[in-house]
């Protein structure tokens, strides 16, 4: 089964009904995917999910108040991390691996810091540490690129995730086409109110005191493009320095969505790392 065909399921915990999809062979430790700002289940690149699900049990979920999940969008990143813990525990998992992108990486870091015993391996892509330089500017960048996309009748992710050179434009359109491969049972787009709440949570995260990431001793893979405008690429190097023993991959001539532009190279690397 491919991610584009995986059925939507639900589990209820702490008064919230979480929507999720799972695929791949069942095992002791699943790989849980943590999504980006405004991301629903339909925002994961099926090429990356399918590559990992070839040998691992993969779970992607809608955060509280997002997509098909009930409740109200949390107004802080640490609250979102607590929700993620609630969801994972409700499924009966005592240990997981994490694949995260962008805001999902913020949430993943807070989860590992709060519950280090829960996570075995960690993938952090297009993300940065709490209090990282210029993370609080994500709000302005996001609104600016939404405006540019509206003018050109494009998907905002083509501007937010990819360079506007020839290669970036081509990669952006290919990425959006892959996201449309699921034709039935798609999530509703995130509400404007929820979107604004997440932006405020990111702003708070960027203005917060840094977390002590020395407590992250799990094997960690960090990846990004070299021209990330949303979460500056230098913050990936910052994470690499703060997390002992971590691996860092920076893809050339690419932005926030570097892992999606270079999915053919990155997907097998991530799958191998998580299979170790």
């Amino acid at each position: 089964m491919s991610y584009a065909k995986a059925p939507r399921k639900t589990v209820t915990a702490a008064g919230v009904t979480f929507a999720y999809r799972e695929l791949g062979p069942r095992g002791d430790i699943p790989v849980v995917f943590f999504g980006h700002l405004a991301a629903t289940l339909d925002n994961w690149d099926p090429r990356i999910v399918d590559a990992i699900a070839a040998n691992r049990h993969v779970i992607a979920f809608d955060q509280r108040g997002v997509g098909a999940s009930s409740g109200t969008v949390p107004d802080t990143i640490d609250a979102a991390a607590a929700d993620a813990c609630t969801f994972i525990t409700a499924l009966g998992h005592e240990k997981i691996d994490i694949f995260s992108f962008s805001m999902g990486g913020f949430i993943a870091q807070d989860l590992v810091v709060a519950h280090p015993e829960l996570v075995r391996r960690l993938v952090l892509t297009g993300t940065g540490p709490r209090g990282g330089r210029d993370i609080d500017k994500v709000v302005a960048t996001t609104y600016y690129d939404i405006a540019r996309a509206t003018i050109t009748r494009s998907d905002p992710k083509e501007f937010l995730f990819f360079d506007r050179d020839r290669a970036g434009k081509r990669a952006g359109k290919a990425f959006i086409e892959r996201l449309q491969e699921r034709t039935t049972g798609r999530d509703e787009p995130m509400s404007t109110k929820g979107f604004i709440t997440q932006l405020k949570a990111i702003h708070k995260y960027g203005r917060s005191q840094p977390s002590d990431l020395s407590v992250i001793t799990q094997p960690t893979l960090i990846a990004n493009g070299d021209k990330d405008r949303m979460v500056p690429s230098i913050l990936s190097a910052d994470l690499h320095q703060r997390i002992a023993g971590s691996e860092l991959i920076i893809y050339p001539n690419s932005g926030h969505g570097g892992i999606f532009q270079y999915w053919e190279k990155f997907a097998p690397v991530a799958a191998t790392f998580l299979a170790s």
Side-chain angles (χ1 to χ4, degrees), residues 117-172:
E117 75 289 345
L118 182 62
V119 180
R120 186 191 68 139
R121 282 181 169 261
L122 180 63
V123 178
L124 300 170
T125 67
T127 195
R130 178 178 284 277
R133 180 179 177 183
D134 290 342
I135 286 180
D136 58 334
K137 295 181 180 178
V138 165
V139 178
T141 301
T142 299
Y143 283 133
Y144 174 67
D145 280 355
I146 288 175
R148 291 202 295 167
T150 300
I151 292 171
T152 59
R153 297 182 180 180
S154 305
D155 188 299
K157 288 185 285 295
E158 293 184 48
F159 288 83
L160 290 165
F161 291 4
F162 301 92
D163 282 351
R164 301 307 292 163
D165 59 11
R166 182 178 298 178
K169 289 179 179 179
R170 185 170 59 247

Side-chain angles (χ1 to χ4, degrees), residues 6-22 26 41 59-63 66-71 86-93 182 185 187:
R8 186 168 67 199
K9 302 179 179 181
T10 60
V11 64
T12 300
V16 178
T17 297
F18 292 95
Y20 68 100
R21 296 177 193 155
E22 60 181 344
R26 300 297 185 268
L41 289 170
I59 301 170
F61 72 105
D62 279 333
Q63 297 168 27
V66 177
S69 289
S70 69
T86 297
F87 166 72
I88 293 160
T89 302
L91 291 182
H93 299 297
R182 185 181 186 88
D187 276 350

